[in-house]
Amino acid sequence: MRLLATLLLYVLILPASFAQHHSGQAAIASAHPLATEAGFEVLQQGGNAFDAAIAVSAALAVVEPAGSGLGGGGFWLLHREADKKQVMLDSRETAPSKAHRDMYLDKNGDVVRDLSLNGPLAAAIPGTPAALDYLSQHYGKLPLSVTLAPAIRYAREGFAVTPRYQRYMGFRQQALNPEAKAIFLDGDNIPVLGTRIVQQDLAKTLEAIAQKGRDAFYQGEIAKQMVKSVQAAGGIWTEQDLAAYQLKIRQPVKTQIADYTMTTAALPSAGGQLITLMFNQLNTLDYWQADAQQKRHWLIEVMRRAYRERTMHLGDDDFVEVPEYLIDPEYAAQIAKDIAPDTASKSEALSDEFTNKGQDTTHFSIVDQNGNRVSATLSINYPFGSGFVAGNTGVLLNDEMDDFSALSGSPNAYQLVSESANEIEPGKRPLSSMTPTFVENDQRLLVLGTPGGGRIITMVMQGILHFIEGQDAAGIVAAPRLHHQYLPDKVQLETPGFSEADQLDLKRRGHQLEVLNRQFGNMQVIVADKKTGLLSAASDPRGEGLARTDIIIND
Ligand code: DON
């Protein structure tokens, strides 16, 4: 009976997961060369993609401290080739038990943004250490003592300051507490290029996790130390909050796009919902036959409408009811009905100026020699998170509480507006944009993701479109990007990226353009040719990452 049930399950699942030929090649794309190398080090030692994901993420926690870390959280999309199992590990941070809806409002009811961005009151309970432990227990082949070894080495030996480190530190320097300054600055100054940043305390914390797993972080001395320093500086964490942290295993969102299957982030990421809603609208618009300028117009219009739904409906669905119709093609057809082929619609305008002073977070993509995959987007939210290193643990805490709606209708740091579905409640996860994704059919596979705050979802969307239109990994990461998020009612365009003629075309249709004098995102992509098993990988030229492939000799 059981055998029959298993067989039936395979018959039901297999058609959606497609057979893949393996060439012995593995690929890793991440935001830092040392993190990519940490992943290959672990693959060479007999590890699989999941072991490599532990090594890459822990290395990034050390060498790209602006982007992610043990004090943060994120989403991990997994594909296990042996049984085609696909899940999303949700290690998103949770609001502490003493958090409440109005905790960032002053007595006049105005948002005090400083409190949700800087210092320990901005920090939600981290999830990344729970994910490392879970990956190791349930998916990896090697112990944490092996997979965390490269990160521990980097923490002890230091990593070199780069231009990106300097830029993000310039943005966040004022937010650092004394412990963070001692690690990340040179006295009171931003360290010069090439300075080595050594993190002895973080090495000890990683070693404790390597020995004892998640309990070393969520209970005992390290937990006590973090709570003590958080409370001493005005935060509200308790030891119970840490001990109670729960990793969630979610069913990813699956959507049919052209003749591809997309597998992507479930709530509390808005990504899967919105990308599905955008593609379902495009399907009603004859998108694929249009010329490039027409396509751009339609893309902006579907972005506008999808982000409008985000504002009104999306939040942690363990706490609020999120309407199921959002990913229903019929609903998409309804909201796309009034899209005019040649004229921009109007979102109701926001008075606040859109500012974007720099953001971070990280994404990496891994495919191993046996076809296992990990697409992970991890964050501490702002560059260097809340700027608060907890006591002598070396752990830099996130400021992910700012992803909640501090006040209904009031924009957060990414100018994203949300309402009661995303208000603060104890234990709740803030709505996220992080969207690790797979797209595949029986010919080709795409593994992708990027940081970029509210723009993550539209960047991933454009990455998928470029893939479907036949671009390779390098083309996908290099392509110019545009963004619309309903409010403010502006199309943001990267520079360089869009010609005068393309800009004129959008203006002629009535779009309000905001031409940024810079680029955004840090996309990490792997493309597989399933017939040959050959992999190619690319790291965003906007960043400082490294993507490469290598032959791994199987045991
Ligand atoms: O979860 C989110 O949507 C944000 N905390 C991500 C922040 C981010 O990507 C900043 N990066 N550039």
Side-chain angles (χ1 to χ4, degrees):
M1 199 52 212
R2 198 141 156 212
L3 186 70
L4 201 68
T6 314
L7 276 178
L8 200 68
L9 202 70
Y10 269 84
V11 172
L12 288 175
I13 290 173
L14 269 178
S17 35
F18 313 112
Q20 185 180 349
H21 184 267
H22 306 301
S23 63
Q25 231 188 354
I28 302 178
S30 91
H32 198 290
L34 289 174
T36 298
E37 294 310 337
F40 277 111
E41 189 176 319
V42 159
L43 290 179
Q44 300 288 4
Q45 286 174 281
N48 59 19
F50 313 110
D51 294 307
I54 296 169
V56 171
S57 59
L60 287 168
V62 174
V63 302
E64 196 202 19
S68 66
L70 298 182
F75 303 122
W76 315 63
L77 191 63
L78 312 182
H79 167 94
R80 185 165 61 194
E81 182 66 4
D83 57 2
K84 313 289 184 205
K85 185 173 174 174
Q86 295 187 330
V87 295
M88 181 180 96
L89 302 190
D90 168 359
S91 65
R92 182 71 163 162
E93 302 90 331
T94 53
S97 56
K98 293 204 165 102
H100 59 91
R101 193 190 65 182
D102 299 334
M103 65 188 279
Y104 298 119
L105 302 185
D106 64 15
K107 53 183 186 315
N108 302 322
D110 295 326
V111 178
V112 187
R113 191 57 64 198
D114 178 52
L115 295 179
S116 68
L117 284 175
N118 306 323
L121 196 62
I125 304 301
T128 292
L132 299 180
D133 183 274
Y134 187 90
L135 270 172
S136 163
Q137 298 283 332
H138 296 268
Y139 285 88
K141 288 162 68 184
L142 301 174
L144 285 171
S145 57
V146 175
T147 50
L148 295 181
I152 294 168
R153 203 173 66 231
Y154 296 153
R156 289 211 187 290
E157 293 174 0
F159 69 91
V161 166
T162 63
R164 196 155 176 266
Y165 179 100
Q166 291 184 322
R167 198 164 63 244
Y168 286 136
M169 187 47 90
F171 171 50
R172 294 297 280 158
Q173 193 175 359
Q174 301 311 323
L176 303 190
N177 72 339
E179 285 83 350
K181 280 187 182 165
I183 298 168
F184 298 117
L185 293 182
D186 179 4
D188 276 333
N189 302 319
I190 299 175
V192 296
L193 288 180
T195 306
R196 296 198 81 74
I197 303 294
V198 172
Q199 300 173 82
Q200 295 293 0
D201 288 340
L202 184 57
K204 281 190 218 138
T205 297
L206 283 164
E207 264 166 359
I209 296 173
Q211 278 158 25
K212 295 201 214 103
R214 67 165 275 165
D215 288 353
F217 183 88
Y218 290 99
Q219 289 168 41
E221 264 323 296
I222 292 174
K224 275 197 173 55
Q225 180 63 228
M226 288 194 294
V227 168
K228 198 171 125 202
S229 71
V230 162
Q231 290 185 356
I236 53 173
W237 287 17
T238 64
E239 286 181 42
Q240 177 54 25
D241 288 341
L242 283 167
Y245 182 83
Q246 273 190 345
L247 183 84
K248 301 263 170 140
I249 315 300
R250 313 252 184 217
Q251 267 320 107
V253 171
K254 264 194 196 293
T255 305
Q256 208 55 37
I257 298 172
D259 63 341
Y260 289 88
T261 301
M262 171 179 73
T263 308
T264 187
L267 288 167
S269 168
Q273 306 276 317
L274 296 197
I275 294 189
T276 302
L277 188 53
M278 289 191 281
F279 271 108
N280 284 345
Q281 291 177 78
L282 287 187
N283 282 342
T284 69
L285 291 171
D286 224 10
Y287 177 85
W288 303 103
Q289 277 71 45
D291 65 40
Q293 291 185 335
Q294 183 65 46
K295 275 184 172 158
R296 230 170 263 133
H297 167 70
W298 272 336
L299 195 53
I300 294 164
E301 290 303 316
V302 305
M303 287 175 179
R304 182 201 309 280
R305 283 163 180 74
Y307 273 72
R308 180 158 186 274
E309 303 294 323
R310 180 195 206 281
T311 302
M312 296 188 297
H313 298 298
L314 297 187
D316 179 352
D317 60 343
D318 289 343
F319 283 74
V320 295
E321 214 168 302
V322 172
E324 283 174 17
Y325 59 70
L326 291 180
I327 52 174
D328 180 343
E330 273 183 33
Y331 183 67
Q334 270 176 35
I335 64 170
K337 231 192 234 150
D338 63 349
I339 296 180
D342 212 31
T343 319
S345 346
K346 297 263 172 274
S347 307
E348 152 208 333
L350 258 194
S351 54
D352 302 40
E353 232 344 77
F354 190 86
T355 53
N356 213 310
K357 299 176 197 119
Q359 324 154 353
D360 213 9
T361 287
T362 202
H363 178 87
F364 61 85
S365 298
I366 303 178
V367 177
D368 74 14
Q369 63 283 8
N370 297 313
N372 299 304
R373 316 169 200 154
V374 178
S375 178
T377 314
L378 309 177
S379 185
I380 47 175
N381 197 25
Y382 249 34
F384 297 94
S386 63
F388 187 86
V389 167
N392 62 9
T393 65
V395 178
L396 180 59
L397 304 187
N398 68 83
D399 56 356
E400 220 77 66
M401 291 295 285
D402 191 67
D403 279 347
F404 279 117
S405 171
L407 177 66
S408 198
S410 157
N412 76 354
Y414 306 110
Q415 294 294 305
L416 291 167
V417 178
S418 50
E419 297 179 5
S420 57
N422 190 33
E423 69 192 12
I424 303 170
E425 280 184 68
K428 190 175 174 185
R429 286 158 150 85
L431 184 62
S432 174
S433 301
M434 294 184 287
T435 310
T437 299
F438 307 140
V439 179
E440 63 190 303
N441 61 13
D442 55 3
Q443 311 276 326
R444 296 166 79 217
L445 160 72
L446 169 69
V447 180
L448 91 162
T450 182
R455 300 192 194 99
I456 292 174
I457 298 168
T458 56
M459 285 191 261
V460 170
M461 170 84 181
Q462 288 166 90
I464 297 171
L465 286 169
H466 295 135
F467 171 74
I468 293 177
E469 287 166 343
Q471 296 228 29
D472 61 8
I476 292 166
V477 295
R481 296 169 184 155
L482 57 75
H483 174 71
H484 194 295
Q485 60 179 44
Y486 168 56
L487 295 176
D489 189 352
K490 290 175 184 172
V491 188
Q492 296 187 329
L493 301 174
E494 282 188 325
T495 307
F498 297 90
S499 67
E500 282 294 317
D502 287 343
Q503 292 183 32
L504 263 177
D505 175 77
L506 289 174
K507 279 191 202 154
R508 186 177 59 74
R509 295 172 197 258
H511 292 286
Q512 208 183 323
L513 306 190
E514 184 183 15
V515 183
L516 304 176
N517 59 3
R518 57 189 188 81
Q519 300 179 302
F520 46 82
N522 196 6
M523 190 174 274
Q524 310 297 327
V525 164
I526 298 172
V527 170
D529 178 332
K530 285 198 177 175
K531 295 294 177 207
T532 59
L534 285 179
L535 304 176
S536 62
S539 182
D540 203 316
R542 297 159 184 80
E544 298 173 347
L546 172 68
R548 70 175 185 89
T549 62
D550 209 346
I551 300 287
I552 308 290
I553 310 298
N554 265 315
D555 45 21

